Amino acid sequence: KFFSIIMKNHGENKLNVIKTIRIILNLGLKESKDFVENLPATIKENSSKEEAEKIKKQLEDAGAIIELK
């Protein structure tokens, strides 16, 4: 089974979430900021369970609200 990783909310620490998205998606600062400010947004589709859980944990540790579908 494959998963989509969806960010519902950036939580209290938006800057941390922007930095984490930058690393995960390999985006520039402006693109990362735009991504985080336009939620909900799909981070990645067709991820393995392991990859989805890893990305979810990274973003939740940064403060984001993440949903796996």
Side-chain angles (χ1 to χ4, degrees), residues 11 13 17 22 36-38 54-55 58 60-61 65-66:
N13 200 338
V17 175
R22 248 185 110 171
V36 170
E37 288 177 346
N38 291 293
K54 181 183 168 204
I55 291 172
Q58 285 177 301
E60 285 180 342
D61 287 351
I65 313 283
I66 304 297

Side-chain angles (χ1 to χ4, degrees), residues 1 6 18 28 41 52 57 63-64:
K1 185 176 179 195
I6 298 143
I18 291 170
K57 180 170 179 5

Side-chain angles (χ1 to χ4, degrees), residues 41-56:
T42 301
I43 297 163
K44 195 160 187 187
E45 294 180 324
N46 299 322
S47 292
S48 66
K49 183 169 178 29
E50 294 78 23
E51 182 186 37
E53 291 289 347
K54 181 183 168 204
I55 291 172
K56 180 177 190 243

